[in-house]
Amino acid sequence: MSDRSLSRRQYLTSVGGAAVTLSVAGCMGDGGSGSGDGGGGSGSTGTEQAPSITAGTAPGFPPFEMKEGGELVGFDIDLFEAVVSETEYQFDGWSEFEFDSLIPALTNNNIDAIAAGMTINEKRDETIDFTDPYYSSDQAIVVREDGDFSPGSLSDLADRPIGAQKGTTGEGVVQDELVGDEITQNQYNAYDNYVLAIQDLQNGNVDAVVIDVPVAETFAKNRPVEIAFVYETGEKFGFGVRTDDDELTSALNSGLSAVRESGRYEELTQKWFGE
Ligand code: GLN
């Protein structure tokens, strides 16, 4: 696509050779601390073709993934690329999907990994595997900033039109905790992405949106909406990988440890979540 993806690829190529030693050492140890410096040798053949992988994401989930001036950016984008650069894999770029198409895209081999603020849960774990967690979240109930509706608990949402994005854990909260009890199925509005849900909240077509807290905070900074209350779910985000791709899963886990140990993870959380 743009100059930037070219330079990103050149960057990955340039660090790829050095990363082999690190990730091989990392796979054998308990996270590879310090093993990149002294333990040379294992990655020295240099003749093997490093496998290429692609990743899928679903923009519209700021600050994890969004489009800025046509460019795909965000915490997941930076973090996943940093993680891959710590492995022997080459990164071949991003494909964009609606959130609920990501798991089918992965299982159909259209992509090799998912980086989309995706919560690790039992239902998804039946179909795909996840890496170790890289971020935690609860669900926020977001309302209009200038409205007179200030719910403090789920029961305050009774008989209100509520929005969430299709296939998400936010939708799960609506379906499991609200529909058939506080609200009817018709009062639940499912959106292809959260940008449309928040837009409809601003327009008055729904009175609340259920969405991951860090994303709610980002929308609240940029739009006339606010968090009314938080519903604790204790979710953890992981990268999604095919169940038969154990090598990639363990390489990404080693890469994740390396990125945490190098301080890069902290830098990226500051960049995307800092004030
Ligand atoms: N964390 C939520 C989930 O996994 C939402 C993810 C998203 O919308 N990108 O369902």
Side-chain angles (χ1 to χ4, degrees):
M1 297 170 205
S2 63
D3 290 329
R4 187 153 171 252
S5 64
L6 185 65
S7 62
R8 185 182 287 158
R9 202 158 300 159
Q10 283 165 342
Y11 165 74
L12 291 172
T13 307
S14 71
V15 298
V20 172
T21 312
L22 260 180
S23 71
V24 169
C27 287
M28 300 189 309
D30 58 353
S33 58
S35 46
D37 290 324
S42 52
S44 61
T45 60
T47 52
E48 289 165 38
Q49 183 67 44
S52 285
I53 56 162
T54 62
T57 192
F61 199 61
F64 290 90
E65 39 269 337
M66 64 258 199
K67 299 303 279 277
E68 267 179 18
E71 188 94 39
L72 179 65
V73 297
F75 178 71
D76 277 333
I77 309 308
D78 283 352
L79 179 65
F80 188 78
E81 291 184 10
V83 166
V84 174
S85 77
E86 296 285 353
T87 74
E88 75 272 33
Y89 290 84
Q90 294 290 307
F91 186 56
D92 224 11
W94 292 95
S95 298
E96 296 169 21
F97 298 88
E98 300 293 6
F99 183 75
D100 68 351
S101 301
L102 284 165
I103 290 180
L106 179 66
T107 56
N108 292 333
N109 295 312
N110 295 331
I111 51 174
D112 302 301
I114 297 170
M118 187 176 276
T119 301
I120 302 167
N121 66 24
E122 276 176 24
K123 184 157 178 283
R124 292 171 182 162
D125 223 6
E126 289 168 7
T127 317
I128 64 171
D129 277 347
F130 285 98
T131 62
D132 294 336
Y134 66 84
Y135 212 82
S136 305
S137 180
D138 292 305
Q139 293 295 313
I141 285 55
V142 175
V143 298
R144 285 178 293 280
E145 195 173 51
D146 59 0
D148 50 14
F149 179 49
S150 310
S153 69
L154 290 181
S155 55
D156 294 340
L157 301 176
D159 275 326
R160 299 277 185 162
I162 309 293
Q165 178 180 283
K166 283 178 195 160
T168 59
T169 49
E171 174 173 83
V173 171
V174 176
Q175 292 287 15
D176 298 346
E177 308 297 332
L178 294 173
V179 169
D181 196 1
E182 317 293 355
I183 68 172
T184 66
Q185 187 69 55
N186 283 342
Q187 285 173 316
Y188 170 51
N189 293 38
Y191 297 90
D192 283 339
N193 65 68
Y194 268 124
V195 175
L196 297 174
I198 295 289
Q199 196 63 55
D200 243 14
L201 174 64
Q202 290 177 229
N203 294 342
N205 293 325
V206 290
D207 286 337
V209 169
V210 183
I211 181 170
D212 300 65
V213 168
V215 183
E217 285 170 344
T218 308
F219 279 124
K221 271 186 211 148
N222 302 322
R223 291 164 179 257
V225 298
E226 65 186 15
I227 296 178
F229 67 96
V230 168
Y231 180 75
E232 283 182 22
T233 52
E235 292 167 64
K236 298 212 180 316
F237 299 169
F239 299 127
V241 188
R242 275 185 294 279
T243 49
D244 61 359
D245 217 350
D246 293 347
E247 273 177 45
L248 179 57
T249 309
S250 50
L252 293 176
N253 283 337
S254 301
L256 210 41
S257 317
V259 161
R260 285 185 193 275
E261 281 160 24
S262 71
R264 184 78 180 127
Y265 179 89
E266 181 59 29
E267 268 171 43
L268 291 178
T269 54
Q270 276 305 314
K271 174 179 172 186
W272 293 104
F273 303 98
E275 286 305 291

